[in-house]
Amino acid sequence: MGLQILSVLYNLIMQGLQVYRIALVVYFLLSWLPGGYQSSLGQFLIRICEPYVGFFRRFVPPIGMISLAGLAALFSLTFVGYGIDAVFSILFNLVRQFG
């Protein structure tokens, strides 16, 4: 029972990270389209992506007209996924041993 709950929780978190990664990529691609951020999709993505990407804008300076904050945000999200994967791997092993 505990292993099933843990598995469902792991899958939900990892799928959520994947959906957010895709949202970030679409958010970045909208910057190439004139008026992309004025659309309803653009406004929605601004609300969910800008707080996360804005954090990286404070620390990653732009190079000329190009901001690398988005790239840093995607990389860090990937590393968060690796960390979650490692934590759940440990939890799965503990549940198998003691559960």
Side-chain angles (χ1 to χ4, degrees):
M1 181 70 170
L3 199 59
Q4 290 174 343
I5 292 171
L6 205 56
S7 179
V8 168
L9 184 62
Y10 171 77
N11 287 330
L12 282 174
I13 291 172
M14 294 309 280
Q15 287 177 358
L17 281 175
Q18 185 63 27
V19 167
Y20 196 68
R21 236 183 252 121
I22 292 169
L24 283 172
V25 169
V26 172
Y27 173 71
F28 301 141
L29 291 176
L30 279 179
S31 70
W32 294 355
L33 300 174
Y37 290 136
Q38 283 73 35
S39 67
S40 59
L41 174 64
Q43 292 297 309
F44 173 73
L45 290 175
I46 285 172
R47 282 196 308 272
I48 65 168
C49 295
E50 187 55 36
Y52 179 66
V53 177
F55 173 78
F56 291 95
R57 283 200 181 105
R58 288 187 282 172
F59 301 107
V60 180
I63 298 175
M65 296 287 293
I66 299 173
S67 173
L68 298 177
L71 196 57
L74 277 175
F75 280 141
S76 70
L77 198 59
T78 301
F79 290 131
V80 166
Y82 291 150
I84 291 171
D85 193 42
V87 167
F88 271 91
S89 177
I90 292 168
L91 290 175
F92 282 131
N93 288 334
L94 287 174
V95 168
R96 284 187 193 117
Q97 284 179 356
F98 301 113

